[in-house]
Amino acid sequence: MTAPAWTWTYEGYDPEEERLREALCTLGNGRFATRGAAPEAPRGPAHYPGTYAAGVYNRLTSTVAGRRVENEDLVNLPDWLPLRYRIRPADAAGPGPWLSPDHPQLTGHRRTLDLRRGTLTRWSSYEDGAGRRLTVTERRLVHMAEPDLAVQRAVFTAEGWAGEVEVEAGLDGDVRNTGVARYRELADTHLTDWETGSADDGVYWLRCRTVASGITVALAARIRAAPRGGTARTALAARTARRVLTVPVRPGTPATVDKTVALHTSRDQARTAPLPAALETVRRAPAVPRLLASHHRAWQHLWRQVRLDVPGEAGRILRLHVFHVLQTLSPHTARLDVGVPARGLHGEAYRGHVFWDELFVLPFLNLHFPEVSRALLDYRHRRLPAARRAAREAGRAGAMYPWQSGSDGREETQRLHLNPRSGRWLPDHSHLQHHVGSAIAYNVWQYWQASGDTAFLHTKGAEMLLEVARFWAASADWDPALERYRIRGVVGPDEYHDGYPEADRPGLDDNAYTNVTAAWVLTRALDLCRTLPEGRRRPLFERLELSHDERQHWDDLAHRLYVPFHRGVISQFAGYGQLAELDWAGYRARYGDIRRLDRILEAEGDTVNRYQASKQADVLMLGYLFSPSELAGILGQLGYLLDDDVWRATVDHYLHRTCHGSTLSAVVHAWVLARVRRDDAWTYCAEALTGDIADVQGGTTAEGIHLGAMAGTLDFVQRGMTGLETRERALWLDPAPLPQLSKFGVRIRYRRHRDIDLRIRTDRVRITVPESAHAAVRVRLRGRPFTVAPGTTRRIDLPDG
């Protein structure tokens, strides 16, 4: 693999690496995305074409381990990519074989992802036994300006022969969700009621619907070829529609086939029916050169808004991460009812569900595309009634948001999961990760701080934040022995610990991350109650039946929630310090990669619940969400001292007891260590950067990229190394550049100011605010106040510390 500044190129064809490359070469526009699969190759072990539209889910029931299990999945939609070809030499008796990267006639193969222009180009060369050579250059895009369109252009060049190239361009509805081997025992046929057809103008189409959710999907395709003079016909089957044509070729005169596809679903707004819409869209689409030009302009505009100047290899990887974040969550997403799928629109892992990854994604979007952040928060608000119902069913007040969400806001977490190492299906208690509610509240607050959108904060945002606060208040019990409130029966971000050894019920007590963030939510809710304008406050309090006594109870909780400690460090949960120590060296010697320690121990008949061992950052997540001073303030409010020594000891304790079984863990550890142990931070930063391109999790990237980790690396530069906080109507800066990234620049959007440039060096900060009629930007650099007027630049020397 080679990686110039704006392209990623894979030389040669390697079936073992193909699915990983398909995921990393996915193209999308925030509405739908398609994996970078070979259009001329059949689906199989090496090739997995997949197209996924944001928010298109379907629910199926399977029988697993003797139990009926219901799962909702992001649906693999009909494949628009098929475009296969073979040569018909004039001096041959008939056509040659269908060609593909798996064919022995392949002599060269290259795939290039152009980040700047948003295109994937595949080049293949074939030669038969008679010395006849064919080179094929296929370029494709999922249009960023016209979000219903996708394009393929194939250019065929003959050497040593003349004749025709036969091309078969299809729409394939005979697809299933089979992209994740772990799910092979689950039902996977999500489409039904296929129809195909064609029109006199050569446009052909395919329509189907999802089995349970009833979403209609329609695709229509148009083919144009040059030079003319060949034949063309349409071939229709029950689940596929194809256009078969021949194109004359001769040495020195390339032939071109353009395929333009429109995709519509019944979830589209302002459309009466998907099939007429698809037919109209594809017929009105401009020629491919114009589509390429408008697509390139759209990407150029996006890159101006997310300018990130980081030198070297780190900068190239960060651009790749920006690219994939924007393909999943683009300005088009602002018009959709969708959340943040943990694996993007790049594959079927996690079934396309929405977890807490928006906690890592929205901070990046807030400072570039706040309208997208608001839409993603609207997704949560629309599902607030479902969260309220879930809380009531659990015997609590407020809103209990699900750990995994999909189409309608119910809990989508499976109750069984497969350990591939042992082959056993095991209980899954991860639905007890109620801290997802705190993540939503945190995102509401951070969005407001960055955007200044008080209209949202005082309406939808306030309603969500207050209902999450109410849930935490209803979840806390008074312990007279401790004289503290406790939250019991939860699972923390670690995920590996889901209960106490030998306990007859799942869940842990007083997870520190859960309790501290609950206290923060309660405090912010009370702040909001005090600052809401009377015209907003009275009707909201009446609708929620929020009394003065209830708010007083919140205040008591926010000062008296229990946070466990052991041996001078924050305990991950009550009783953590009594767990056994794991033989880390022994397990690494026996297994090498122990990221999935839970699977290793379960296969041995053991459990992580017995040990001080974590999958990923848990307590240390507090250092990701809050600056050192803010975290010390929250714990101080609760009556605990958190000074530098306690925090450093806490960091060291968990640093040596975490196996990093999640790609998010490296992001958090890099963030925390940049302030505590700078010399060690780069190790985790480098792992976070290469997590997907090197597939450090061992095969998981092929099932879909890790969107939260990608966005987290961007935010690590944007906020982590700049120390950027948006609070008290100012930009707070406390730069901590690493030696490996001692010079970098970011462009952000803050409230009404667009394109603020921050340039960070080891000893200096430069801030440029573009010309506008808005007020000066207030800045606090390591506590020192400054203002930067529009149309000016300030260069400020960094004080020591």
Side-chain angles (χ1 to χ4, degrees):
M1 178 178 64
T2 59
W6 286 90
T7 59
W8 289 86
T9 298
Y10 296 95
E11 293 283 355
Y13 173 67
D14 183 353
E16 297 297 320
E17 295 291 320
E18 186 66 12
R19 287 201 176 194
L20 170 63
R21 296 175 181 182
E22 288 175 353
L24 291 172
C25 290
T26 294
L27 298 178
N29 58 21
R31 181 178 171 273
F32 75 97
T34 297
R35 290 167 58 88
E40 67 274 16
R43 186 181 299 106
H47 303 284
Y48 190 73
T51 292
Y52 310 95
V56 176
Y57 291 95
N58 185 66
R59 194 178 301 277
L60 294 176
T61 300
S62 311
T63 300
V64 177
R67 294 173 56 181
R68 289 176 62 80
V69 178
E70 188 179 272
N71 287 294
E72 185 177 67
D73 292 77
L74 187 69
V75 178
N76 185 13
L77 299 182
D79 182 16
W80 62 270
L81 283 180
L83 195 153
R84 64 175 181 167
Y85 43 81
R86 58 184 177 181
I87 67 172
R88 288 175 172 268
D91 58 354
W98 295 107
L99 300 173
S100 74
D102 301 291
H103 198 277
Q105 291 183 5
L106 182 75
T107 58
H109 186 71
R110 181 171 60 249
R111 176 174 7 205
T112 299
L113 183 66
D114 186 332
L115 306 180
R116 192 191 299 272
R117 295 175 176 82
T119 58
L120 176 64
T121 301
R122 299 174 60 259
W123 175 89
S124 302
S125 177
Y126 305 89
E127 187 171 340
D128 65 12
R132 291 180 287 241
R133 187 178 183 87
L134 176 72
T135 60
V136 184
T137 302
E138 181 238 344
R139 180 182 297 179
R140 77 179 70 153
L141 60 90
V142 174
H143 210 285
M144 187 55 82
E146 302 291 340
D148 307 318
L149 287 174
V151 171
Q152 287 172 289
R153 164 168 278 194
V155 179
F156 303 92
T157 303
E159 298 179 40
W161 64 282
E164 295 177 328
V165 174
E166 182 180 343
V167 179
E168 184 180 279
L171 301 172
D172 183 7
D174 191 15
V175 298
R176 296 178 296 151
N177 277 50
T178 58
V180 179
R182 296 184 303 282
Y183 306 160
R184 63 183 176 272
E185 295 185 42
L186 304 177
D188 56 23
T189 304
H190 292 277
L191 300 177
T192 189
D193 292 349
W194 297 267
E195 297 177 79
T196 61
S198 63
D200 293 339
D201 58 1
V203 171
Y204 55 104
W205 53 268
L206 181 151
R207 176 171 58 188
C208 57
R209 68 170 179 85
T210 55
V211 172
S213 55
I215 300 171
T216 301
V217 181
L219 295 89
R222 179 189 73 194
I223 303 294
R224 291 178 177 172
R228 298 181 179 180
T231 62
R233 61 183 177 86
T234 301
L236 303 177
R239 302 184 184 185
T240 60
R242 296 171 294 154
R243 187 75 171 165
V244 184
L245 62 156
T246 59
V247 188
V249 293
R250 63 177 187 272
T253 306
T256 301
V257 173
D258 288 341
K259 179 181 179 183
T260 305
V261 178
L263 186 155
H264 284 274
T265 79
S266 54
R267 297 184 83 248
D268 294 352
Q269 297 182 18
R271 297 286 188 179
T272 56
L275 181 57
L279 292 169
E280 178 185 13
T281 298
V282 81
R283 285 178 172 135
R284 291 186 175 182
V288 166
R290 287 181 57 193
L291 287 172
L292 281 166
S294 58
H295 175 70
H296 294 168
R297 285 194 300 271
W299 269 107
Q300 185 179 36
H301 180 65
L302 291 178
W303 285 115
R304 282 199 299 266
Q305 293 177 266
V306 291
R307 182 174 175 179
L308 192 67
D309 293 330
V310 175
E313 184 69 6
R316 287 190 278 267
I317 296 173
L318 288 165
R319 278 189 284 274
L320 179 72
H321 290 182
V322 172
F323 183 72
H324 283 300
V325 170
L326 292 182
Q327 291 192 120
T328 305
L329 303 168
S330 79
H332 299 300
T333 310
R335 299 194 292 271
L336 304 177
D337 177 33
V338 297
V340 178
R343 304 301 282 272
L345 298 174
H346 297 60
E348 295 160 16
Y350 300 158
R351 300 177 178 84
H353 289 169
V354 176
F355 294 72
W356 70 328
D357 297 72
E358 63 215 69
L359 192 61
F360 298 84
V361 175
L362 261 65
F364 171 74
L365 294 174
N366 288 342
L367 295 170
H368 299 284
F369 303 100
E371 66 279 3
V372 179
S373 292
R374 176 163 179 165
L376 298 170
L377 292 170
D378 282 342
Y379 165 88
R380 291 297 193 180
H381 183 261
R382 293 187 191 99
R383 286 147 186 82
L384 181 58
R388 286 172 171 144
R389 287 194 299 273
R392 286 198 302 271
E393 291 168 3
R396 304 183 197 181
M400 185 173 77
Y401 276 97
W403 175 237
Q404 295 187 35
S405 186
S407 61
D408 60 12
R410 76 181 79 176
E411 178 63 76
E412 298 294 350
T413 302
Q414 60 271 29
R415 297 307 170 100
L416 294 173
H417 70 271
L418 174 68
N419 180 356
R421 188 177 285 271
S422 68
R424 288 188 285 267
W425 287 89
L426 307 165
D428 190 327
H429 301 302
S430 58
H431 65 279
L432 297 175
Q433 292 191 73
H434 302 317
H435 61 81
V436 66
S438 293
I440 293 166
Y442 181 88
N443 282 326
V444 167
W445 195 260
Q446 292 297 323
Y447 164 72
W448 168 66
Q449 294 273 19
S451 68
D453 187 354
T454 54
F456 178 84
L457 179 69
H458 291 168
T459 53
K460 297 176 181 177
E463 193 173 9
M464 287 189 284
L465 202 155
L466 296 180
E467 287 289 69
V468 172
R470 176 174 270 170
F471 171 77
W472 286 130
S475 301
D477 298 322
W478 176 251
D479 186 331
L482 289 174
E483 294 187 335
R484 290 277 182 175
Y485 291 97
R486 308 183 67 183
I487 297 176
R488 306 174 191 268
V490 301
V491 171
D494 160 40
E495 293 187 329
Y496 280 177
H497 292 90
D498 63 359
Y500 291 100
E502 314 305 330
D504 58 1
R505 65 173 179 86
L508 305 161
D509 299 338
D510 304 307
N511 172 253
Y513 174 83
T514 300
N515 286 14
V516 171
T517 55
W520 179 89
V521 171
L522 289 161
T523 302
R524 296 288 78 77
L526 290 167
D527 290 343
L528 189 55
C529 288
R530 285 188 290 268
T531 57
L532 273 172
E534 178 63 21
R536 299 283 193 189
R537 181 170 57 243
R538 183 184 297 275
L540 179 61
F541 284 10
E542 289 177 353
R543 187 167 73 253
L544 298 183
E545 299 180 357
L546 183 60
S547 69
H548 176 72
D549 289 345
E550 186 174 1
R551 299 198 301 275
Q552 281 192 316
H553 180 53
W554 291 5
D555 186 66
D556 192 35
L557 279 162
H559 288 82
R560 303 177 76 180
L561 271 169
Y562 177 53
V563 178
F565 283 72
H566 72 281
R567 294 189 293 278
V569 304
I570 302 172
S571 297
Q572 188 168 302
F573 49 83
Y576 174 89
Q578 283 72 57
L579 299 179
E581 292 284 6
L582 184 76
D583 179 9
W584 291 91
Y587 272 91
R588 288 193 174 99
R590 288 163 59 190
Y591 292 100
D593 186 350
I594 60 168
R595 295 173 191 274
R596 291 313 305 260
L597 184 64
D598 60 330
R599 293 175 177 173
I600 291 171
L601 290 174
E602 192 279 329
E604 292 183 347
D606 205 346
T607 172
V608 181
N609 286 334
R610 295 182 57 236
Y611 301 99
Q612 295 183 36
S614 299
K615 173 184 179 181
Q616 59 186 320
D618 192 303
V619 172
L620 299 193
M621 271 296 300
L622 295 170
Y624 175 78
L625 294 187
F626 307 114
S627 66
S629 61
E630 189 175 7
L631 181 56
I634 299 168
L635 282 162
Q637 175 182 298
L638 290 167
Y640 299 100
L641 173 65
L642 182 70
D643 58 20
D644 288 346
D645 290 339
V646 172
W647 181 242
R648 287 177 184 274
T650 299
V651 172
D652 286 342
H653 181 87
Y654 292 102
L655 188 64
H656 296 101
R657 292 168 176 82
T658 303
C659 62
H660 307 292
S662 164
T663 55
L664 297 173
S665 191
V667 173
V668 175
H669 280 77
W671 188 290
V672 171
L673 290 173
R675 303 283 165 175
V676 176
R677 288 172 52 175
R678 187 175 300 183
D679 291 344
D680 296 331
W682 181 252
T683 299
Y684 294 95
C685 181
E687 179 174 321
L689 286 169
T690 59
D692 272 324
I693 61 173
D695 195 17
V696 298
Q697 295 287 329
T700 63
T701 302
E703 303 166 350
I705 55 96
H706 298 82
L707 191 70
M710 285 190 169
T713 63
L714 304 174
D715 198 37
F716 174 71
V717 175
Q718 174 179 274
R719 291 193 309 135
M721 291 204 303
T722 62
L724 173 62
E725 297 177 79
T726 53
R727 58 187 174 96
E728 299 175 23
R729 299 181 182 275
L731 290 175
W732 293 62
L733 295 169
D734 183 12
L738 302 180
Q740 297 85 353
L741 289 176
S742 60
K743 177 182 175 182
F744 61 93
V746 298
R747 174 174 290 174
I748 65 171
R749 177 176 168 184
Y750 173 62
R751 298 196 172 219
R752 301 173 73 180
H753 294 276
R754 294 174 178 265
D755 299 338
I756 297 175
D757 276 320
L758 304 177
R759 300 286 165 169
I760 309 294
R761 293 175 178 266
T762 305
D763 58 350
R764 178 178 293 183
V765 173
R766 189 184 79 187
I767 307 172
T768 301
V769 177
E771 185 72 48
S772 75
H774 304 310
V777 175
R778 296 173 56 226
V779 178
R780 294 187 69 90
L781 179 62
R782 291 184 178 166
R784 295 158 53 196
F786 301 91
T787 59
V788 185
T792 67
T793 296
R794 288 204 67 163
R795 294 172 177 82
I796 309 167
D797 292 333
L798 284 175
D800 294 334

